[in-house]
Amino acid sequence: MNRWIDGACRAVEALIALMLAVMVALVFGNVVLRYGFNSGITLSEEVSRWLFIWITFLGAIVALRERAHLGVDMVVARLPAWGKKACLALSYLLMLYMLGLLFQGSVAQTRINWDVQAPVTGASMAIVYLSGVVFAVFAGLVLLLDLGRLLTGRMAEEELVAIQESEEAGALAQVLGPQGPAGTSPPPSRTEERQP
């Protein structure tokens, strides 16, 4: 199951890159046409807005899988293993509840807007709200899989904090790993260097 979700996340990343390329081409092309040729791409603004919404929701799924969402872990990181497990299980249950609410609301909005046409493209406005449905379903699967791993004791202790303190710390942790480069211990602090 983990392999399937990792493969799906790679496919989602490729889809996000494609959407971003289309969005950049539409916006840049529209700017060039507007200022250079006094014309433009009529559907550029509408389609770009929709692509941005979809990129945001799809990117949130990938970030959830990679534990890349930002948060403050100064309390949870100091708890013993059982405290971290309890906090993580509680946070997963709360997130699943919120995803349930998001799913219900997105399905309701998708149904309401199914026959509403967008002003420029004429496409159904349900496309916008469908992104919430897709996010809720796939994020729910990721959370349920991780919750199952947590409850069965198959989650490593370093995975018990499900957020990154900052983008810089997350990037540094990925580069160095848990023990520093190539399995070595991290460099000594300045106070350790001064001691004889």
Side-chain angles (χ1 to χ4, degrees):
M1 189 69 163
N2 274 330
R3 194 177 304 145
W4 182 86
I5 289 184
D6 288 338
C9 281
R10 281 193 296 277
V12 167
E13 286 174 354
L15 181 61
I16 289 171
L18 177 67
M19 288 177 162
L20 189 59
V22 170
M23 192 170 84
V24 167
L26 282 173
V27 171
F28 180 73
N30 201 33
V31 168
V32 169
L33 287 172
R34 183 171 293 150
Y35 291 104
F37 303 97
N38 202 22
S39 66
I41 308 168
T42 14
L43 54 86
S44 170
E45 218 173 293
E46 195 169 277
V47 172
S48 297
R49 190 178 323 117
W50 290 358
L51 288 173
F52 183 74
I53 292 167
W54 274 90
I55 287 170
T56 303
F57 278 100
L58 292 176
I61 297 170
V62 176
L64 181 65
R65 177 65 180 164
E66 295 176 355
R67 299 169 175 268
H69 285 289
L70 298 178
V72 179
D73 65 349
M74 67 181 176
V75 174
V76 177
R78 288 171 173 72
L79 293 175
W82 66 267
K84 290 178 184 174
K85 288 180 182 179
C87 287
L88 187 60
L90 180 62
S91 69
Y92 279 163
L93 292 173
L94 288 171
M95 284 189 283
L96 286 168
Y97 173 70
M98 297 305 293
L99 285 174
L101 294 177
L102 177 65
F103 178 78
Q104 286 178 340
S106 297
V107 166
Q109 285 297 323
T110 302
R111 286 181 181 156
I112 290 169
N113 290 284
W114 192 262
D115 295 325
V116 177
Q117 290 186 344
V120 178
T121 60
S124 172
M125 285 299 291
I127 293 170
V128 174
Y129 300 100
L130 196 58
S131 60
V133 176
V134 170
F135 171 74
V137 169
F138 285 103
L141 287 174
V142 169
L143 289 175
L144 284 172
L145 180 69
D146 280 351
L147 183 60
R149 288 177 53 230
L150 175 67
L151 295 178
T152 55
R154 292 181 289 131
M155 188 174 280
E157 188 169 348
E158 59 268 6
E159 293 180 279
L160 295 179
V161 178
I163 56 169
Q164 294 292 334
E165 182 69 33
S166 69
E167 291 178 4
E168 293 83 13
L172 186 62
Q174 285 183 341
V175 170
L176 296 179
Q179 295 294 321
T184 62
S185 59
S189 65
R190 292 186 188 272
T191 56
E192 292 173 345
E193 288 173 351
R194 286 191 210 124
Q195 293 175 354

